[in-house]
Structure formats: structure tokens, C-alpha cells
Amino acid sequence: GIMKIQVVAVLLFALSATEICEALNFFQKHVVPQMAPGDCNTKMKVINEQKKKCKPINTFFLDPKGVLTGICNHGNKKPIMDIDLEIIDCKVDNKKYPHCTYKSVPGKATSVTVLCDQNNVPYHLEDVKRAGRK
């Protein structure tokens, strides 16, 4: 009996771990409590390792207060308006993997749209409206 319980426990743990991985995905790629403009190269290393190429652009939200935490409670593909978050766009400068380098473009986000899965977990950043840019 004990062996069976251990197997079940391990399976349950594995399941929750994969769900957690998916949940972290959007936040790992796009949400940081703080970040200096010079951090693009370091932050992008992790993201680029997954696909073994230099991602052309990635937006990081500086979200120390956790504004984006319940982002999927608004519904899938519904933009969250009236947010006011600092962002840093990391734009690729050198596209030769693994030596990707990035330029930082700081700005402010006024609205965010994400894609959410059936567990209300965001997995893709669909759209960002930036202040002062149409």
C-alpha cells in the first residue's frame, strides 16, 4: 500500500509542478519587481536559451506591487486598461545566438492584453499600449 501512495503523491506533485511552470511562463518572461535598463542582456539569456535564438523584442513590466498578478481574472484576451506601469522593452541589437545583445527602451504601459489558458493562467503577451505612442 505504501508504494502506491508514494507513486500517487509523486504524480500529483509532477502535475502541479508542470502547471506551476506554465504559470511562471508569462511572468518569467514579462514581469519583474524591478530592473535596471542595463539588465536586458542578462534577463534575455534565460528566455533565449529555451528557443536557442535571439528573441527580437521582449517587454518587461516593472511590477513591484503585483498589479498583474490576477491578470486573467479579467477574462481571456480582454485588455486591462488604466494600468500605469513602467516597462522596459529589450530590443535585439546583435542577433548572433548565443551572443545576443539588447538595447533597452524604457517607457510606460497604459494597457495590457494577455492570452490565458483554461486554468486562468496567462501564457502569452498579446498587446501592450504604450504611453505617448499611438
Side-chain angles (χ1 to χ4, degrees):
I2 291 173
M3 191 64 198
K4 203 175 212 168
I5 292 167
Q6 282 176 326
V7 169
V8 171
V10 167
L11 280 175
L12 282 174
F13 178 73
L15 276 174
S16 60
T18 50
E19 279 174 31
I20 291 164
C21 280
E22 284 169 31
L24 287 176
N25 230 334
F26 165 81
F27 288 103
Q28 274 181 326
K29 280 188 193 154
H30 299 291
V31 185
V32 291
Q34 72 251 353
M35 175 176 169
D39 291 345
C40 273
N41 292 341
T42 332
K43 292 258 181 232
M44 292 305 295
K45 257 197 186 89
V46 182
I47 291 169
N48 291 330
E49 271 166 15
Q50 292 174 349
K51 295 207 162 95
K52 302 280 181 245
K53 61 177 200 264
C54 306
K55 191 176 178 185
I57 182 168
N58 195 66
T59 302
F60 287 100
F61 297 91
L62 281 53
D63 188 12
K65 292 197 189 88
V67 176
L68 297 174
T69 304
I71 195 165
C72 284
N73 301 344
H74 295 261
N76 190 12
K77 278 190 100 161
K78 289 204 177 74
I80 300 186
M81 308 304 223
D82 305 325
I83 61 160
D84 178 24
L85 286 178
E86 298 285 332
I87 55 172
I88 292 179
D89 285 324
C90 295
K91 295 187 173 177
V92 74
D93 208 15
N94 173 21
K95 291 202 267 289
K96 292 196 171 62
Y97 185 84
H99 307 290
C100 319
T101 56
Y102 287 84
K103 280 202 291 275
S104 300
V105 184
K108 264 195 186 311
T110 56
S111 122
V112 184
T113 310
V114 295
L115 302 186
C116 304
D117 67 14
Q118 64 274 26
N119 301 322
N120 264 1
V121 173
Y123 64 90
H124 178 70
L125 178 61
E126 181 78 358
D127 186 50
V128 184
K129 296 274 179 290
R130 293 166 178 81
R133 277 191 252 167
K134 292 286 164 270

